[in-house]
Amino acid sequence: ILFSREYQKGKLSRPTSFCIFNGNICVSDRENDCVQVFDKNIIYKKDIKKYYDSIFIKRPTSVATIKVKNKYILALLERGDKNENAKIILFDDRFKFITYKLFSFLNDPQGMISFGEEFLCISDTRNRKGLILNKDLKVINSIKLDFLSDDPRFLCRVPSLVGDELWFIDYKSGLTV
């Protein structure tokens, strides 16, 4: 995989996240406003640039897989523009759009991971929270990272899964919650 500042199929510009989905490597490519899909040999297959057949993806920041109704789904976290319109967009195993959910309360979400098969964790960076979502994309827990860290400026870009624990690491200090 090569990198390029100008959009070219199979070349990335500011890749921010990847996951393995249905035997493919899916990469959120923020500067190119798409998800690029590669096979297991890192051969370019396709890109996902829009959903609803006409709405273009903007600022994708993370991809992850979740299991819904016994099927694996690709979840894409779109960071939004100017701290508005953050959303999660879902695609089926053929990369066809399923649905999306708007999260207008998020402030600059920068990372999302899956854990277990049916949960997502989002780093709501500027709200200084970690959010746990179920397979229906409902927030089931909100973790106040600034409170737990005793640091009002705690900034976690991407949560981590270490063993069976979720870790949130401060961007500047390295402090871990």
Side-chain angles (χ1 to χ4, degrees):
I1 298 175
L2 299 175
F3 299 91
S4 172
R5 280 307 207 188
E6 296 177 10
Y7 175 73
Q8 296 177 37
K9 291 181 178 182
K11 294 192 178 182
L12 303 169
S13 179
R14 202 165 180 193
T16 53
S17 170
F18 80 94
C19 71
I20 305 299
F21 177 65
N22 200 26
N24 298 294
I25 303 166
C26 299
V27 183
S28 56
D29 188 354
R30 195 165 101 196
E31 292 299 315
N32 284 324
D33 291 323
C34 68
V35 173
Q36 295 209 45
V37 181
F38 301 86
D39 69 15
K40 64 183 177 184
N41 297 311
I42 314 176
I43 305 297
Y44 171 82
K45 288 179 77 173
K46 69 179 297 164
D47 58 35
I48 305 168
K49 292 185 88 52
K50 56 186 175 178
Y51 58 101
Y52 256 153
D53 294 324
S54 62
I55 302 173
F56 285 90
I57 293 169
K58 293 181 184 174
R59 302 181 78 206
T61 189
S62 289
V63 286
T65 59
I66 56 171
K67 193 172 186 180
V68 178
K69 296 180 183 175
N70 293 319
K71 293 186 179 184
Y72 287 98
I73 303 296
L74 180 67
L76 166 65
L77 175 62
E78 190 177 75
R79 192 171 174 181
D81 197 23
K82 298 181 182 174
N83 298 328
E84 295 180 357
N85 301 318
K87 65 179 72 79
I88 294 177
I89 307 166
L90 300 179
F91 299 91
D92 70 12
D93 61 352
R94 295 183 177 170
F95 304 104
K96 300 292 183 197
F97 168 75
I98 298 172
T99 191
Y100 76 90
K101 183 170 182 180
L102 189 64
F103 290 90
S104 58
F105 57 87
L106 294 178
N107 188 355
D108 202 23
Q110 293 190 33
M112 174 180 72
I113 61 171
S114 55
F115 66 99
E117 290 189 326
E118 299 179 345
F119 299 96
L120 296 170
C121 179
I122 295 175
S123 180
D124 188 4
T125 307
R126 292 197 178 149
N127 284 330
R128 281 124 172 102
K129 292 181 181 178
L131 302 174
I132 310 298
L133 285 70
N134 66 12
K135 64 183 176 182
D136 298 317
L137 304 182
K138 293 182 181 171
V139 177
I140 59 172
N141 201 346
S142 177
I143 304 161
K144 296 180 180 180
L145 302 173
D146 55 348
F147 175 78
L148 290 176
S149 67
D150 199 30
D151 180 357
R153 299 195 45 81
F154 190 94
L155 285 174
C156 177
R157 288 192 171 171
V158 180
S160 299
L161 186 61
V162 180
D164 61 352
E165 296 180 349
L166 283 171
W167 288 13
F168 300 91
I169 303 165
D170 181 64
Y171 168 68
K172 291 192 177 187
S173 72
L175 178 67
T176 302
V177 174

